[in-house]
Structure formats: C-alpha cells, structure tokens
Amino acid sequence: MKGDSGLTAHQKIWQTVLQIPSGKVASYGQIADLAGLPGRARMVGKALGKAPEKMVLPWHRVLRSNGQLAFPSGSDALQRQKGLLQEEGVVVTNNRVAMKQWQWQPDLGELLFALEF
DNA sequence: GGTGTGACAACAA
DNA sequence: TTTGTTGCCACAC
C-alpha cells in the first residue's frame, strides 16, 4: 500500500480546485499545499493540463502566486480564463488579479470535510 | 536510471 | 514593477 487515501495526486488536486468558491482565486502553490502536496506547485499545473475536458473544473480560478495569469499574453487559453473570471466578478487588469482582494481564504474545517467523503 | 521538461515559487537586480 | 536565475519535485522518454 502507498499509505495514501487511495486518491492519486491528480485527483486530490482536482478535488481541492473544486473547493474554490466562485469569485475567488488561488495560487498553484496554495492548491498544492491544501491538497497535501507542499512544494509541488508545478505538479498542479500538470494535473490541470491533464484533466479531461469532460470534467467540470474551475481551473480558471488558479493562477500564479503573484496574481498573474499563467498563460502567455494573447493566448487563447488566457482569453478564456480572463473571461470566465470576469463573469464571476473578478477584475482582471493587464493579465493580473489583485490577490490581496480575491485570494481564496479557505476554512480548513470545511475544506477537510469537503475532501473527506 | 539518467536527462529534460513543466498552466510554479522565491529571490536578486 | 519587470526580467532573469535558481530551487523544487514528480513525470515522460
């Protein structure tokens, strides 16, 4: 046994991302940390990239620690992310978000309960 | 099993 | 604030 709860790292990441409330954002490092994978921010990016499109996943609420979107300026993915965020009331200026204002501050109790299942 | 890669993060100029 | 460098760690080849 791996000693884990049976979920793969990817699945833990997806579950955590699903907890981000509409109108809020989180950083890759934050997601990794909450998912129980400290120091693996890069893996979050990969996990999101590998997520099947069928899956409903608010990947657009995940951005870099400094609030900048993770996609190159002008890319199609960036445009989609920006649009989705603005639909939720998040103001994106110059490919950036004011983390101080919109960064998700999870309640650990509810988070653990949500991930418990 | 070594090498390169990545939707990152922290730090230095 | 922006860009460049370094550290990080799992994954693909």
Side-chain angles (χ1 to χ4, degrees), chain A residues 10-27:
Chain A
H10 291 136
Q11 289 174 325
K12 289 180 185 173
I13 291 168
W14 293 332
Q15 283 299 314
T16 305
V17 171
L18 284 170
Q19 308 310 316
I20 306 175
S22 177
K24 291 289 179 180
V25 298
S27 74

Side-chain angles (χ1 to χ4, degrees), chain A residues 88-103:
Chain A
E88 299 180 349
V90 178
V91 176
V92 181
T93 52
N94 208 11
N95 298 341
R96 297 184 96 163
V97 170
M99 293 294 277
K100 291 195 172 183
Q101 187 168 356
W102 283 292
Q103 183 166 42

Side-chain angles (χ1 to χ4, degrees), chain A residues 3 10 23 35 39 46 50 58 67 75-76 80 86 89 97 100 114 117:
Chain A
H10 291 136
K46 273 191 179 174
K50 289 188 174 186
S75 69
D76 186 48
R80 278 204 304 281
Q86 292 182 349
V97 170
K100 291 195 172 183
F117 274 88

Side-chain angles (χ1 to χ4, degrees), chain A residues 6-63:
Chain A
L7 292 176
T8 66
H10 291 136
Q11 289 174 325
K12 289 180 185 173
I13 291 168
W14 293 332
Q15 283 299 314
T16 305
V17 171
L18 284 170
Q19 308 310 316
I20 306 175
S22 177
K24 291 289 179 180
V25 298
S27 74
Y28 291 90
Q30 185 180 0
I31 295 301
D33 194 29
L34 293 174
L37 304 166
R40 262 149 276 194
R42 307 186 77 158
M43 205 174 120
V44 174
K46 273 191 179 174
L48 295 183
K50 289 188 174 186
E53 296 185 11
K54 314 175 63 174
M55 171 184 298
V56 181
L57 195 63
W59 57 271
H60 54 273
R61 298 180 189 142
V62 185
L63 33 110

